[in-house]
């Protein structure tokens, strides 16, 4: 990643914020399992690589919430050179389709080729130079103090580089969680993430220390991912089970009515086997995780105040960056107009849920509430 590329990325992030998005830089896409291509062995013999296969990477991802609590996304591809812009347009279109993105942008430092500009309407991609990006920003005024610190840290190249590099030097024992948040989360089926993210946090909980700002930033980032995950779940609830969120959430977690029915059948079968003494004591055959009631309660809170989701996501995005930078916000009023009481409580609820279900140190909850709500540390 060149310095100029990163400059275009943070400028694109600022544009998306002006347009009403929460954002993420450098989303990596790769296979979950092992790569299928052969590699050379020690004596020239062919063997299969055990490393996951990289697909591609996404420079900037934007998420917003529209009427009816529908999530929409935008992707931005940033490069400093115009070389290959025409063929790159087709790549951008493919990534946009993969993400089911509602908007796609290709940003270049200098002018694009005429051929690339001719493809914009046909492929549904906005092609912009850095100058045009700045002009487009002017057409989207914001009540937030995006150009003043600390909120401006999100859009400063050196600060963004520091935040992106925060998780690279962490304890190797945290690698499974780091790889999940960076890769697997984006490839896995959305309905699997509510339970898988909890599992990944639980597996490394004893290695996370709330006194370490980088660990706190990691947990806050996981809370951003989890709120996004629950937003997908709530979108499904509103569409099919708004009057019965308990049933709707169960169906969502297992991939739909057929998946839930299959799991219920398996659970009954295992229960009958256990009653006949064929399973050892201590083996659990519960269909749902023990934390399902708390998950349902959190989902209902989000369902009843859908308007708080986007500002809560933005607060978590901002809090992650502030913490990764080793900085601190003394009071909510210092957030450049970003603070919203309901949204801050919802963001803190998500952190609290993850702390309780994954067995994290309660210091994470206290520090998150201090940062998000301005509460004093105990």
């Amino acid at each position: 990643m060149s310095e100029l590329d990163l400059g275009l990325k943070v400028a694109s992030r600022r544009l998306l914020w002006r347009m009403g998005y929460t954002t993420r830089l450098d989303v990596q896409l790769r296979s979950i399992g092992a790569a299928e291509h052969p590699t050379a062995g020690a004596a020239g013999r062919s063997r299969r690589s055990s490393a996951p296969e990289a697909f591609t990477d996404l420079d900037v991802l934007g998420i917003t919430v529209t009427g009816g609590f529908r999530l929409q996304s935008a992707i931005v591809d940033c490069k400093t050179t115009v070389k290959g812009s025409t063929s790159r347009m087709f790549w951008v279109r493919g990534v946009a389709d993969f993400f089911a993105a509602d908007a796609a942008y290709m940003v270049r430092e200098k002018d694009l080729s005429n051929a690339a500009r001719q493809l914009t309407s046909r492929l549904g991609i906005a092609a912009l130079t850095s100058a045009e990006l700045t002009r487009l920003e002017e057409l989207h005024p914001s009540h937030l103090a995006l150009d003043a610190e600390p909120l401006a840290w999100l859009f400063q190249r050196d600060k963004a580089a520091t935040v992106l590099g925060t998780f690279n030097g962490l304890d190797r024992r945290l690698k499974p969680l780091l790889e999940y948040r960076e890769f697997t989360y984006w490839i896995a089926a959305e309905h699997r993430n509510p339970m898988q993210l909890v599992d990944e946090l639980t597996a490394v909980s004893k290695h996370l220390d709330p006194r370490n700002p980088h660990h706190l930033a990691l947990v806050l980032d996981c809370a951003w991912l989890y709120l996004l995950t629950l937003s997908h779940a709530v979108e499904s609830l509103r569409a099919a089970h708004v009057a019965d969120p308990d049933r709707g959430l169960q169906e969502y977690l297992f991939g739909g009515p057929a998946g839930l029915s299959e799991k219920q059948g398996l659970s009954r079968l295992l229960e009958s086997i256990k009653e006949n003494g064929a399973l050892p004591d201590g083996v659990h055959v519960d269909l749902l995780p023990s934390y399902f009631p708390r998950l349902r309660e959190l989902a209902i809170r989000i369902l009843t105040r859908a308007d708080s989701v986007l500002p809560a996501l933005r607060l978590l995005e901002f809090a992650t960056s502030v913490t990764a930078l080793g900085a601190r916000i003394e009071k909510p009023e210092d957030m450049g107009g970003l603070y919203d009481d309901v949204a801050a409580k919802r963001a803190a609820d998500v952190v609290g849920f993850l702390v309780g279900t994954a067995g994290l140190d309660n210091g994470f909850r206290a520090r998150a509430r201090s940062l998000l709500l301005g509460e004093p540390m105990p």
Side-chain angles (χ1 to χ4, degrees):
M1 174 178 63
S2 74
E3 283 296 310
L4 283 176
D5 280 350
L6 184 55
L8 291 178
K9 291 176 186 180
V10 294
S12 299
R13 171 188 246 179
R14 188 173 56 235
L15 171 63
L16 290 181
W17 265 68
R18 288 186 177 277
M19 296 172 120
Y21 290 83
T22 180
T23 58
R24 194 174 189 86
L25 302 183
D26 288 350
V27 175
Q28 305 292 322
L29 304 178
R30 75 177 193 185
S31 63
I32 296 177
E36 295 297 327
H37 57 276
T39 58
R45 296 184 301 272
S46 177
R47 61 180 178 85
R48 294 193 179 277
S49 170
S50 61
E53 183 178 3
F55 293 154
T56 187
D57 66 291
L58 179 61
D59 290 334
V60 188
L61 172 66
I63 304 289
T64 192
V65 182
T66 63
F69 198 74
R70 182 174 181 272
L71 293 172
Q72 289 193 345
S73 60
I75 66 165
V76 187
D77 178 58
C78 303
K79 292 291 181 292
T80 57
T81 175
V82 299
K83 184 178 181 181
S85 293
T86 304
S87 60
R88 189 73 173 180
M89 295 281 280
F90 291 96
W91 177 91
V92 173
R93 182 68 265 160
V95 175
D97 290 345
F98 178 85
F99 265 95
D102 300 276
Y105 298 83
M106 189 173 78
V107 179
R108 297 295 180 264
E109 181 64 27
K110 299 179 180 179
D111 199 16
L112 293 101
S113 66
N114 290 331
R117 290 191 180 277
Q118 290 173 12
L119 286 170
T120 55
S121 59
R122 185 69 178 270
L123 297 180
I125 300 169
L128 304 168
T129 64
S130 59
E132 290 169 334
L133 186 70
T134 301
R135 174 59 182 143
L136 192 55
E137 277 195 72
E138 296 170 357
L139 301 179
H140 292 275
S142 174
H143 72 281
L144 300 174
L146 301 180
D147 297 324
E149 295 183 352
L151 199 50
W153 291 341
L154 287 171
F155 318 111
Q156 294 174 0
R157 191 165 53 192
D158 58 334
K159 298 292 195 301
T162 299
V163 173
L164 287 172
T166 293
F167 307 117
N168 293 336
L170 290 179
D171 191 326
R172 292 187 63 183
R173 293 174 296 182
L174 299 176
K175 185 178 179 181
L177 175 62
L178 295 171
E179 292 201 338
Y180 168 77
R181 63 170 283 279
E182 188 173 7
F183 306 114
T184 311
Y185 177 92
W186 304 103
I187 298 298
E190 289 170 353
H191 71 271
R192 297 186 180 278
N193 283 321
M195 291 190 288
Q196 186 171 356
L197 196 153
V198 171
D199 290 343
E200 296 290 349
L201 265 175
T202 301
V204 300
S205 59
K206 64 181 179 181
H207 306 305
L208 289 167
D209 184 350
R211 296 167 298 180
N212 185 327
H214 290 175
H215 288 190
L216 178 58
L218 177 59
V219 171
L220 289 169
D221 188 53
C222 287
W224 185 94
L225 292 172
Y226 205 72
L227 181 53
L228 178 59
T229 287
L230 290 184
S231 298
H232 285 293
V234 169
E235 184 178 7
S236 175
L237 294 185
R238 288 174 65 93
H241 287 285
V242 68
D244 189 1
D246 184 275
R247 173 75 181 188
L249 185 56
Q250 290 187 48
E251 287 189 359
Y252 181 81
L253 292 177
F254 296 110
L260 176 60
S261 179
E262 179 184 341
K263 293 295 183 181
Q264 288 172 331
L266 178 60
S267 180
R268 289 191 295 267
L269 175 61
L270 291 174
E271 186 64 42
S272 66
I273 294 174
K274 184 176 182 180
E275 290 175 355
N276 292 329
L279 288 178
D281 293 338
V283 175
H284 298 285
V285 296
D286 295 334
L287 171 68
L288 296 166
S290 61
Y291 57 81
F292 178 78
R294 298 194 299 276
L295 177 60
R296 180 185 57 219
E297 179 186 358
L298 181 57
I300 291 174
R301 288 184 191 178
I302 295 170
L303 176 67
T304 55
R305 286 303 304 266
D307 58 318
S308 69
V309 169
L310 179 61
L313 285 168
R314 286 177 145 194
L315 277 171
L316 287 168
E317 179 185 352
F318 175 64
T320 299
S321 290
V322 169
T323 306
L325 291 169
R328 176 165 178 82
I329 304 301
E330 295 300 327
K331 52 185 182 299
E333 292 77 11
D334 295 337
M335 295 185 182
L338 184 62
Y339 180 79
D340 174 88
D341 184 59
V342 176
K345 290 178 180 176
R346 200 60 67 243
D349 286 344
V350 176
V351 176
F353 172 83
L354 292 177
V355 169
T357 55
L360 302 181
D361 189 297
N362 280 327
F364 284 108
R365 179 188 283 109
R367 283 171 168 78
R369 293 186 69 86
S370 177
L371 179 60
L372 294 167
L373 297 169
E375 293 182 357
M377 287 289 296

